Amino acid sequence: MNHPPSDGIAYTGGRYLPLAEASIPMTDRGFVRSDATYDVAHVHQGRFFRLDDHIERFFWSMSQLRMSLPLDAAAVREILLQCVARSGLREAYVQMTCTRGVPPPGSRDPRACTNRFHAFCQPFVWIATPQQQEAGIAMVVSRVQRIPAASVDTRVKNFHWLDLTMGIFEAYDRGALVAVLVDGQGQVTEGAGFNVFAVAGGQLHTPGHNVFEGMTRRTVLELAPHLGLQARVGPVSVVALQAADEVFITSTAGGVMPVTRLDGHAVGSGRPGPVTRAVQSAYWQRAASDPRCTAVDYTAFEAGACA
Amino acid sequence: MNHPPSDGIAYTGGRYLPLAEASIPMTDRGFVRSDATYDVAHVHQGRFFRLDDHIERFFWSMSQLRMSLPLDAAAVREILLQCVARSGLREAYVQMTCTRGVPPPGSRDPRACTNRFHAFCQPFVWIATPQQQEAGIAMVVSRVQRIPAASVDTRVKNFHWLDLTMGIFEAYDRGALVAVLVDGQGQVTEGAGFNVFAVAGGQLHTPGHNVFEGMTRRTVLELAPHLGLQARVGPVSVVALQAADEVFITSTAGGVMPVTRLDGHAVGSGRPGPVTRAVQSAYWQRAASDPRCTAVDYTAFEAGACA
């Protein structure tokens, strides 16, 4: 098999290899018990955005699941930079994962596993393409409830996505691109890999409970004051979302994306609104020029070094 | 690498191989989104118990997740029998799995994936060993809530186990072997791979909601009338569990296992009770001699055929 590096590079078992050839042991609890945590950073114009923040959160998530690695943050950072440099990708989706590992024969004890680190980069994945974002995207409020924080700490990034995946199917069935899930009390939570913001009276509102606290969400909350916007983190009801002037979603996989249809009805004017556009533009400016950007050094691999 | 067949045999990508060499593609949604369903059957004394029931349920689970395979039930059956025959194992834990598959580059659409079938057998895994069962095991009522059916249909066997895994850690922390999880209303649900029964007034009680309807649970419910026992499927509160005369758990990975300590207190007499012993004995009798047993034909692989 011959896979160009630009299709993606992985790091697992201590070595770099084409992503298409990378795998997880069949009996790793990371697969058979979804006993894993991960984080996703992105590379834009050859630079990581908030790489250290992603890595810091990844280590926090591991500690919450009682996992540890023989790697420190600096080592993880180096591996991620190497994956991207070897791929040559200037726009990339970069994932770091820790799996519980393979239990000893006959054992069900997660403490007996050696935790494993895996990483990969691949061409950037858009929840909504730039073309879709131009018009604004259609969202539905799903009938599926998000797995509650009382069951799985939603702040620990995890692969428990069957609720989100059934939401994606529902969105497609109902002619939309994405679905946002609710809790059992009529409150909005999050969707598959994204957070939700409602804009009402020039103020930003985003749910504070039963959600993953995404990095793009965090960046938007930081940017708001610079744009003269108040931001409130707290309950957002489905009714409030339906009544919003504007709605947008945020994700490392796509940035700030305008939602212009909700459950088949126009949001506000039915076009991406001015607040959303301002936030979106400020976000990409930050992602390209923030002091927390980290340039990838591609030179060692552009001279024809092997991947 | 040299792995004896008796360590386990897998089937994936259309071929049989040592389990230790079997893997899942890094980007299969079955791993990175836990977008998968599975079922587990067991082999006792060289015979599967209720193999067709396990396979039927597996196909039902796939349909609920909108998955399909180019294999029918007979083909799956043949693969599972082959895995066990090639391993030579007379006591085995046998898993069949369907993963969503690898999305096309740049796509997040689960409909665009080709679903994949994987299976493996390995030496039988006991939740509690026969020695532990002799004395009875210690259980705790976990503080973690089971993922509710409103989020993920608990009847569709799935790998969303972080709640159950955190329950296992809690059990160990508190000096027990297993944990049972609750819902948000003080009702008992299930534990990591097992259902729970309370025995009170000579009657069996087992939760009917927010649980996986395990095959051993089903067998116990079928056996009850033959043992002169009434069985009731419905809410079981934590209080009722604490007040029970006897408690036992059921699993394909271990059968019927007596619980003799709950949250540090003795259950009933503190010894495995007569109802539990009667159910346990009837269960293993069935597992060895039921008309729904399927003998594995080991002959083709005992003549020295390759694994």
Side-chain angles (χ1 to χ4, degrees), chain B residues 160-212:
Chain B
H160 286 38
W161 271 51
L162 274 176
D163 51 349
L164 300 167
T165 296
M166 297 320 281
I168 293 174
F169 278 111
E170 186 182 339
Y172 292 144
D173 288 348
R174 296 170 60 194
L177 185 66
V178 297
V180 63
L181 274 57
V182 291
D183 67 6
Q185 281 82 48
Q187 303 297 318
V188 170
T189 65
E190 64 188 346
F194 62 82
N195 291 111
V196 179
F197 284 78
V199 183
Q203 211 178 27
L204 305 182
H205 301 259
T206 194
H209 191 52
N210 282 321
V211 298
F212 178 67

Side-chain angles (χ1 to χ4, degrees), chain B residues 296-307:
Chain B
V296 178
D297 177 8
Y298 296 90
T299 52
F301 299 97
E302 284 176 336
C306 69

Side-chain angles (χ1 to χ4, degrees), chain B residues 270-292:
Chain B
R271 299 279 308 156
V275 174
T276 301
R277 286 294 185 219
V279 172
Q280 189 179 40
S281 152
Y283 172 75
W284 285 108
Q285 215 170 329
R286 271 298 166 102
S289 65
D290 194 271
R292 292 165 297 182

Side-chain angles (χ1 to χ4, degrees), chain A residues 10-12 19-20 22-27 29-36 38 40 64-67 93 95 97 99-100 106-111 118-120 122-127 143-148 150-152 156 158-163 165-166 168-170 172-173 178 192-194 253, chain B residues 10-12 19-20 22-27 29-36 38 40 64-67 93 95 97 99-100 106-111 118-120 122-127 143-148 150-152 156 158-163 165-166 168-170 172-173 178 192-194 253:
Chain A
Y11 174 90
T12 185
L19 176 55
S23 65
I24 296 290
M26 178 87 78
T27 56
R29 284 181 60 98
F31 169 54
V32 288
R33 298 293 176 252
S34 199
D35 194 356
Y38 74 114
V40 174
Q64 296 304 107
L65 298 184
R66 305 205 202 178
M67 291 173 170
Y93 171 106
Q95 182 169 313
T97 305
T99 59
R100 186 74 64 187
S107 171
R108 283 169 42 97
D109 188 344
R111 300 170 305 181
H118 319 267
F120 68 83
Q122 63 182 12
F124 192 70
V125 178
W126 293 94
I127 289 182
R143 297 175 189 100
V144 181
Q145 289 177 21
R146 182 70 180 116
I147 294 171
S151 296
V152 177
V156 175
N158 65 73
F159 294 139
H160 287 37
W161 270 51
L162 274 177
D163 52 347
T165 297
M166 297 320 282
I168 292 174
F169 277 111
E170 185 182 338
Y172 292 144
D173 287 347
V178 295
F194 62 83
Chain B
Y11 174 91
T12 185
L19 175 56
S23 65
I24 295 291
M26 178 87 79
T27 55
R29 285 181 59 98
F31 170 53
V32 288
R33 298 293 175 252
S34 200
D35 194 356
Y38 74 115
V40 174
Q64 295 304 107
L65 298 183
R66 305 205 203 178
M67 291 173 170
Y93 170 107
Q95 182 170 314
T97 305
T99 59
R100 187 74 64 187
S107 170
R108 283 169 40 98
D109 188 343
R111 301 171 303 181
H118 320 267
F120 67 83
Q122 64 182 10
F124 192 71
V125 178
W126 293 95
I127 289 182
R143 299 176 189 98
V144 181
Q145 289 177 20
R146 181 70 180 115
I147 295 170
S151 297
V152 177
V156 176
N158 64 73
F159 293 140
H160 286 38
W161 271 51
L162 274 176
D163 51 349
T165 296
M166 297 320 281
I168 293 174
F169 278 111
E170 186 182 339
Y172 292 144
D173 288 348
V178 297
F194 62 82

Side-chain angles (χ1 to χ4, degrees), chain A residues 16-274:
Chain A
Y16 297 92
L17 69 170
L19 176 55
E21 295 171 15
S23 65
I24 296 290
M26 178 87 78
T27 56
D28 192 316
R29 284 181 60 98
F31 169 54
V32 288
R33 298 293 176 252
S34 199
D35 194 356
T37 186
Y38 74 114
D39 217 294
V40 174
H42 80 271
V43 170
H44 178 51
Q45 298 177 357
R47 296 148 71 90
F48 273 98
F49 182 43
R50 307 192 74 162
L51 177 57
D52 292 332
D53 290 335
H54 283 285
I55 293 172
E56 183 187 339
R57 185 170 64 185
F58 176 59
F59 275 82
W60 178 82
S61 295
M62 281 193 284
S63 71
Q64 296 304 107
L65 298 184
R66 305 205 202 178
M67 291 173 170
S68 62
L69 290 172
L71 300 169
D72 62 11
V76 166
R77 192 177 202 275
E78 177 59 26
I79 291 167
L80 300 179
L81 285 163
Q82 280 264 345
C83 281
V84 178
R86 286 166 186 256
S87 76
L89 290 165
R90 262 61 179 176
E91 305 288 325
Y93 171 106
V94 185
Q95 182 169 313
M96 61 201 98
T97 305
C98 180
T99 59
R100 186 74 64 187
V102 175
S107 171
R108 283 169 42 97
D109 188 344
R111 300 170 305 181
C113 299
T114 302
N115 305 161
R116 288 162 171 252
F117 179 73
H118 319 267
F120 68 83
C121 73
Q122 63 182 12
F124 192 70
V125 178
W126 293 94
I127 289 182
T129 63
Q131 295 72 30
Q132 289 169 324
Q133 291 183 43
E134 192 52 38
I137 62 176
M139 183 161 81
V140 295
V141 177
S142 174
R143 297 175 189 100
V144 181
Q145 289 177 21
R146 182 70 180 116
I147 294 171
S151 296
V152 177
D153 188 341
T154 36
R155 297 167 308 163
V156 175
K157 201 163 173 73
N158 65 73
F159 294 139
H160 287 37
W161 270 51
L162 274 177
D163 52 347
L164 300 166
T165 297
M166 297 320 282
I168 292 174
F169 277 111
E170 185 182 338
Y172 292 144
D173 287 347
R174 296 169 60 194
L177 185 66
V178 295
V180 64
L181 273 56
V182 291
D183 68 5
Q185 280 82 47
Q187 303 296 318
V188 170
T189 65
E190 63 188 349
F194 62 83
N195 291 111
V196 178
F197 284 77
V199 183
Q203 212 179 26
L204 305 183
H205 300 259
T206 194
H209 191 54
N210 282 321
V211 298
F212 178 67
E213 297 171 355
M215 198 61 74
T216 309
R217 171 182 181 274
R218 198 193 290 183
T219 302
V220 167
L221 293 173
E222 288 173 11
L223 285 171
H226 300 284
L227 297 168
L229 294 166
Q230 278 201 313
R232 195 180 60 78
V233 175
V236 176
S237 68
V238 173
V239 172
L241 193 72
Q242 288 163 338
D245 301 326
E246 302 179 29
V247 172
F248 62 85
I249 63 174
T250 60
S251 175
T252 294
V256 175
M257 295 164 272
V259 173
T260 49
R261 293 192 74 77
L262 185 65
D263 288 335
H265 301 286
V267 175
S269 68
R271 299 278 308 155

